[in-house]
Amino acid sequence: MKRMIVALMLSATSTFALADDNTCLSKKYDAYIDASLHWYEDLTALTAEQDPNLTEVSQWFLNGRKNHFELNRAAVHYYLENDPSKVATAQAVEGWLKLEQKDIKVLASRSDELGHLARTTFNDRQSKRHHQNYELRSAFADLLSHPTKIDTALKRYNSAISKLEEIKCQ
């Protein structure tokens, strides 16, 4: 009887530790997603400020990035709880999740929020590119080749990444 009680206590303790670790890992990944989204928000805002003709395509691009990152956020949360082998937490946080198009297609068949996010991202990837996509990419290349233009945004991103790298989970 004592052994069964001890075994139950140990399994409950490890379950709580795993839940705490998953919470920590989720928060760390959330910090990565938030930093990435802020980076793209800053980059698209700078691009539209530099060339107002690119405002619409910048918003189109940003919406696609938001869809992509919100899918990844939801997928990491889901997989940490249900299939941790799909989240490579031993790697740098940006490499934790590798969703290929076939994985997104499978997730898109779900009827929950994760399925909705996957369908949205899948549709984004299948849709026709914005007619100013090339101009936007050229504007990004121009911005990124002039570090002083992106200094504030880059410092904000690097600071956020440094802070999340300090998060240590079990």
Side-chain angles (χ1 to χ4, degrees):
M1 183 70 156
K2 286 183 182 179
R3 287 184 185 177
M4 185 160 51
I5 291 172
V6 168
L8 286 171
M9 288 175 49
L10 286 174
S11 69
T13 302
S14 67
T15 300
F16 289 133
L18 183 59
D20 286 346
D21 192 40
N22 284 347
T23 299
C24 177
L25 292 168
S26 290
K27 287 181 179 179
K28 186 171 184 169
Y29 198 75
D30 286 349
Y32 162 69
I33 294 296
D34 293 341
S36 297
L37 286 173
H38 288 306
W39 164 251
Y40 283 111
E41 288 167 356
D42 289 344
L43 187 61
T44 55
L46 288 168
T47 300
E49 181 181 302
Q50 186 172 309
D51 185 348
N53 292 325
L54 296 177
T55 299
E56 180 187 319
V57 68
S58 293
Q59 190 58 51
W60 168 83
F61 174 82
L62 182 58
N63 288 339
R65 296 284 64 207
K66 285 179 180 178
N67 293 338
H68 165 82
F69 281 111
E70 292 303 340
L71 169 61
N72 284 3
R73 181 193 315 261
V76 164
H77 287 220
Y78 173 80
Y79 288 134
L80 283 172
E81 294 297 322
N82 297 289
D83 189 358
S85 67
K86 295 215 181 240
V87 184
T89 56
Q91 295 184 18
V93 70
E94 59 271 8
W96 282 13
L97 183 67
K98 300 283 190 250
L99 284 181
E100 296 178 18
Q101 191 70 350
K102 64 181 179 169
D103 302 317
I104 295 171
K105 193 172 184 177
V106 169
L107 289 173
S109 68
R110 298 169 57 107
S111 61
D112 58 5
E113 180 65 16
L114 181 56
H116 169 73
L117 292 167
R119 274 188 303 284
T120 301
T121 299
F122 183 82
N123 290 338
D124 283 350
R125 291 182 178 185
Q126 299 301 310
S127 68
K128 184 179 176 186
R129 297 282 175 223
H130 192 282
H131 68 278
Q132 288 182 298
N133 186 52
Y134 178 79
E135 291 86 349
L136 179 68
R137 301 300 174 137
S138 295
F140 286 165
D142 181 57
L143 269 176
L144 296 172
S145 67
H146 294 91
T148 56
K149 292 181 180 180
I150 60 166
D151 188 53
T152 301
L154 190 56
K155 283 181 181 174
R156 176 176 154 169
Y157 176 77
N158 287 337
S159 174
I161 295 297
S162 293
K163 285 178 186 172
L164 80 85
E165 287 174 344
E166 293 172 7
I167 298 172
K168 302 296 180 212
C169 302
Q170 297 298 321

